[in-house]
């Protein structure tokens, strides 16, 4: 296979440029490293050489391959030295004026058919291209940190980018061994846009005092399979990085409520509670390890009351089977007896609303989240309403913990924790498909590789049922009266007729 771009240049050899240089060389290209600080490019080259030596020691490269990679990688002091490049990748400081100035200088140097790309994560590719003589050969090539390990690369077409340029870049990314996804030039492109719901919705739950952040993390890890809970992730990234991204995407979409950032994050950022890097974020860190309270034990209840299950409960048959397996005494009457623990399993609605609508005694009413099939999860979540008696809360907790599966008890909230976060993730992803930010298939790839989610957001919606996600959002809109929960047309139409969220119209 002939390499797409024989001679390539990297401008800006910091954290990103260095990693990108490694990928270009490994794709088979000659790589010229340039930085405005000459010491930076030689430092990057030395680090690359050391990296390849270490890969050879682990048997991942042969001595010949290392010699070839070294022979094709060198530093150049002057921008003029990049004149012969087929492709130049920019990874300098994130400032529009500086990037535009650099590309204007480059344009005068390189051949008219040379391709120029930016690794920007937040600026508009179109806005940079607009200041150039040949915007058609300009595109975005968005790598993630650390570049060799993050296997996804966004290929971004500006309004005037020639589709042939994007095709060549897409093939080139494959030659690097990474997965290319094609994105239109929209705020946050694919990965940073799709990642908006996880943190912002979790912060919103915190702001309502429904549960503490450690509980929210545990629930999302154990119910959905996220590797890190949203607060663990915010601590890892650092609020100094995450909060400005939340604000930037919100502003660039003209204050679209779905992306609204949180005042809690802004205040913690101002207070210097950035995360791991400052030793304290949502968690305190001792020797780099997050300090966590032990899981509270389930209360011991000697005599459990009989249980009555609302006829409107989500996954009612599954819930009844679960109760049977847990040895509950299940009431079968049309209404609960005087002593019964009353169980509701709403989608989107809060427990209070269910008690009112179904004319149930709120003091004995408790909710359980049944969005996911119980067998798919490693934790159960039970919610009280403001009137729930402590003996009824403890009875529900003890009952659902009988098989030793962890149980989290939270306060009443439209949509529990998982329903809220999952519905917002699926909704934002659906809206990205509706807007044509990328194809549904590329969205799934980008989210799995770029965000490390256990499954793509559309697959997540399909797993719990598009109609259920739609119901969660409709009902949350009623509970909260907040337009951030309005369903995207993509989800509304597919959910209404039970069609897969990955279905693309003929
Ligand atoms: P960095 O600060 O580690 O490296 C930037 C390098 O560019 C420095 O070595 C600096 O001397 C050099 N530089 C600055 N202005 C220059 C100029 N006018 N000409 C030549 N060299 C110049 O920054 P980092 O993190 O590598 O980011 C670079 C770019 O990549 C930014 O646009 C950033 O938004 C983007 N990006 C960063 C990611 C990250 O996680 N760090 C992820 C994806 C994109």
């Amino acid at each position: 296979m002939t390499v797409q771009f024989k001679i390539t240049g990297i401008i800006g050899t910091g954290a990103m440029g260095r990693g990108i240089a490694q990928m270009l060389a490994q794709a088979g290209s000659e790589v010229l490293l340039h930085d405005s600080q000459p010491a930076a490019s030689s430092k990057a080259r030395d680090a690359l050489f050391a990296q390849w030596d270490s890969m050879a020691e682990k048997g991942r490269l042969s001595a010949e391959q290392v010699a070839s990679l070294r022979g094709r990688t060198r530093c150049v002091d002057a921008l003029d030295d990049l004149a012969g490049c087929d492709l130049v990748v920019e990874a300098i400081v994130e400032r529009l004026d500086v990037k535009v100035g650099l590309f204007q200088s480059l344009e005068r140097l390189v051949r008219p058919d040379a391709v120029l790309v930016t690794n920007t994560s937040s600026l508009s590719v179109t806005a940079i291209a607009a200041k150039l003589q040949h915007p058609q050969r300009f595109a975005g090539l968005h790598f993630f940190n650390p570049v060799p390990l993050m296997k996804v690369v966004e290929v971004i077409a500006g309004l005037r980018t020639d589709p042939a340029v994007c095709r060549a870049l897409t093939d080139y990314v494959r030659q690097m061994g990474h997965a290319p996804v094609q994105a239109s030039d929209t705020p946050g492109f694919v990965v940073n846009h799709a990642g908006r719901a996880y943190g912002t919705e979790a912060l919103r739950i915190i702001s309502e005092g429904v549960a503490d952040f450690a509980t929210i993390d545990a629930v999302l890890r154990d119910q959905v399979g996220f590797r890190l809970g949203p607060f663990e992730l915010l601590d890892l990234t650092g609020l100094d990085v995450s909060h400005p991204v939340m604000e930037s995407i919100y502003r660039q979409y003209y204050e679209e409520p779905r992306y609204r950032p949180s005042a809690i994050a802004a205040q913690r950022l101002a207070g210097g509670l950035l995360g791991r890097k400052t030793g304290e974020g949502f968690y305190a860190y001792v020797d780099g390890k997050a300090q966590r309270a032990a899981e509270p034990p389930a209360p011991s209840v000697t005599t459990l009351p009989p249980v009555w299950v609302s006829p409107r409960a989500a996954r009612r048959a599954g819930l009844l089977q679960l109760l049977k397996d847990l040895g509950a005494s299940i009431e079968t009457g049309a209404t609960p007896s005087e002593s019964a623990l009353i169980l509701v399993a709403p989608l989107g609605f809060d427990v209070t609303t269910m008690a009112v609508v179904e004319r149930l005694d709120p003091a004995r009413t408790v909710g359980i989240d049944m969005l996911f099939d119980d067998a798919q999860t490693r934790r159960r979540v039970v919610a009280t309403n403001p009137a729930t008696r402590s003996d009824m809360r403890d009875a529900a907790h003890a009952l659902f913990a009988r098989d030793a599966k962890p149980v989290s008890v939270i306060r009443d909230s439209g949509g529990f924790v998982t329903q809220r976060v999952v519905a917002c993730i699926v909704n934002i992803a659906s809206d990205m498909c509706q807007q044509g930010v990328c194809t549904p298939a590329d969205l799934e790839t980008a989210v799995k590789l770029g965000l490390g989610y256990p499954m793509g957001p559309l697959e997540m919606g399909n797993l719990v049922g598009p109609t259920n996600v739609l119901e969660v959002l409709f009902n949350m809109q009623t509970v909260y009266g907040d337009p951030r929960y309005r369903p995207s047309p993509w989800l509304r139409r597919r959910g209404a007729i039970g069609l897969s969220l990955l279905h693309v119209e003929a």
Side-chain angles (χ1 to χ4, degrees):
M1 188 167 53
T2 51
V3 57
Q4 276 289 339
F5 299 98
K6 203 164 169 332
I7 307 177
T8 63
I10 297 275
I11 307 181
T13 57
M16 294 304 290
R18 181 180 306 187
I20 297 168
Q22 182 182 340
M23 301 321 297
L24 305 194
Q26 288 173 199
S29 302
E30 197 172 311
V31 184
L32 308 180
L33 303 166
H34 174 74
D35 197 288
S36 52
Q37 311 284 331
S41 53
S42 51
K43 206 170 137 203
R45 181 201 52 206
D46 295 348
L48 277 177
F49 286 7
Q51 172 70 18
W52 286 323
D53 287 343
S54 125
M55 287 166 75
E57 276 162 29
K58 291 181 190 137
R60 286 165 51 202
L61 288 176
S62 67
E64 294 73 41
Q65 283 171 318
V66 172
S68 163
L69 287 163
R70 279 173 170 255
R72 284 186 278 110
T73 307
R74 64 193 167 88
C75 300
V76 294
D77 288 338
L79 203 60
D80 290 7
D81 295 329
L82 300 175
C85 285
D86 304 310
L87 168 75
V88 180
V89 184
E90 165 277 314
I92 66 166
V93 57
E94 187 77 339
R95 269 184 45 194
L96 183 65
D97 56 337
V98 183
K99 289 195 198 273
V100 165
L102 176 70
F103 282 114
Q104 286 174 334
S105 306
L106 266 179
E107 263 203 319
R108 291 193 283 270
L109 288 175
V110 296
R111 287 194 319 274
D113 65 338
V115 171
L116 303 179
V117 304
T118 174
N119 180 48
T120 183
S121 49
S122 63
L123 301 172
S124 157
V125 170
T126 304
I128 301 173
K131 307 280 190 228
L132 304 182
Q133 298 286 329
H134 306 291
Q136 67 281 359
R137 48 105 160 241
F138 186 78
L141 200 56
H142 187 212
F143 290 83
F144 294 83
N145 193 15
V147 178
L149 299 182
M150 295 296 287
K151 296 285 181 193
V152 63
V153 183
E154 296 173 338
V155 178
I156 300 134
L159 284 182
R160 291 188 194 280
T161 309
D162 181 348
V165 165
C166 288
R167 281 198 296 274
L169 289 168
T170 300
D171 288 344
Y172 190 47
V173 170
R174 285 204 189 94
Q175 289 181 340
M176 296 171 201
H178 274 23
V181 294
Q182 301 224 19
S184 64
D185 186 21
T186 46
F189 310 128
V190 181
V191 172
N192 284 338
H193 186 169
R196 277 322 84 223
Y198 197 44
T200 45
E201 191 58 21
L203 282 159
R204 206 168 144 81
I205 298 171
I206 285 283
S207 74
E208 290 170 26
V210 169
D212 61 34
F213 54 84
T215 301
I216 295 174
D217 277 348
V219 167
L220 288 163
R221 276 195 320 262
D222 294 348
Q223 288 209 314
V224 192
F226 288 105
R227 273 204 302 262
L228 293 178
F231 298 103
E232 291 163 325
L233 184 63
L234 287 169
D235 270 6
L236 183 69
T237 315
L239 277 183
D240 53 332
V241 174
S242 318
H243 188 65
V245 174
M246 294 187 222
E247 288 195 321
S248 154
I249 293 184
Y250 177 60
R251 297 259 145 71
Q252 288 184 75
Y253 271 110
Y254 297 105
E255 312 196 344
E256 160 60 52
R258 288 192 187 109
Y259 312 127
R260 194 188 307 129
S262 161
I264 291 177
Q267 197 204 32
R268 297 180 78 94
L269 172 59
L273 301 168
L274 304 187
R276 273 174 194 270
K277 65 179 86 167
T278 53
E280 190 174 2
F282 291 97
Y283 296 87
Y285 292 84
V286 176
D287 299 329
K289 278 198 76 173
Q291 303 301 295
R292 296 165 206 279
E295 178 104 24
S300 64
V301 177
T302 32
T303 321
L304 285 172
V307 184
W308 182 88
V309 179
S310 157
R312 295 194 194 192
R315 294 188 198 277
R316 189 167 190 271
L319 179 55
L320 288 171
Q321 185 59 50
L322 171 64
L323 290 167
K324 223 168 120 193
D325 294 345
L326 294 170
S329 140
I330 303 168
E331 291 192 353
T332 52
T335 53
S337 72
E338 285 299 304
S339 60
L341 163 67
I342 302 170
L343 272 186
V344 294
L347 290 176
F349 278 129
D350 51 9
V351 178
T352 311
T353 302
M354 298 312 289
V356 171
V357 169
E358 298 191 39
R359 299 181 195 285
L360 304 169
D361 174 5
R364 292 183 288 132
T365 304
V366 167
I368 174 145
D369 188 354
M370 292 299 290
L371 178 67
F372 279 86
D373 182 347
D374 184 71
Q376 289 167 337
T377 69
R378 288 180 283 120
R379 178 176 295 270
R380 300 187 180 113
V381 177
V382 164
T384 55
N385 72 74
T388 305
R389 280 190 341 232
S390 59
D391 62 323
M392 287 294 159
R393 178 197 61 208
D394 289 351
H397 188 166
L399 172 61
F400 283 113
R402 265 188 170 173
D403 59 357
K405 197 164 178 168
V407 174
S408 293
V409 180
I410 64 169
R411 294 194 185 279
D412 205 5
S413 127
F416 295 86
V417 172
T418 295
Q419 292 181 18
R420 291 177 71 152
V421 172
V422 166
C424 289
I425 288 173
V426 175
N427 198 31
I428 285 177
S430 298
D431 210 51
M432 291 172 70
C433 295
Q434 185 73 47
Q435 287 182 42
V437 172
C438 58
T439 64
D442 272 0
L443 177 65
E444 299 291 275
T445 304
V447 168
K448 279 185 278 187
L449 296 178
L451 297 172
Y453 287 6
M455 64 197 101
L458 302 173
E459 188 191 344
M460 196 182 285
N462 285 341
L463 179 67
V464 298
T467 313
N468 288 338
V469 179
L470 189 60
E471 189 173 337
V472 168
L473 289 167
F474 271 140
N475 294 342
M476 280 181 62
Q477 241 189 313
T478 307
V479 173
Y480 291 99
D482 187 334
R484 80 196 257 115
Y485 301 118
R486 74 193 189 289
S488 158
W490 181 279
L491 171 63
R492 194 153 50 78
R493 299 197 183 103
R494 282 162 184 73
I497 51 178
L499 203 59
S500 160
L501 295 179
L502 282 155
H503 178 83
V504 179
E505 282 179 50

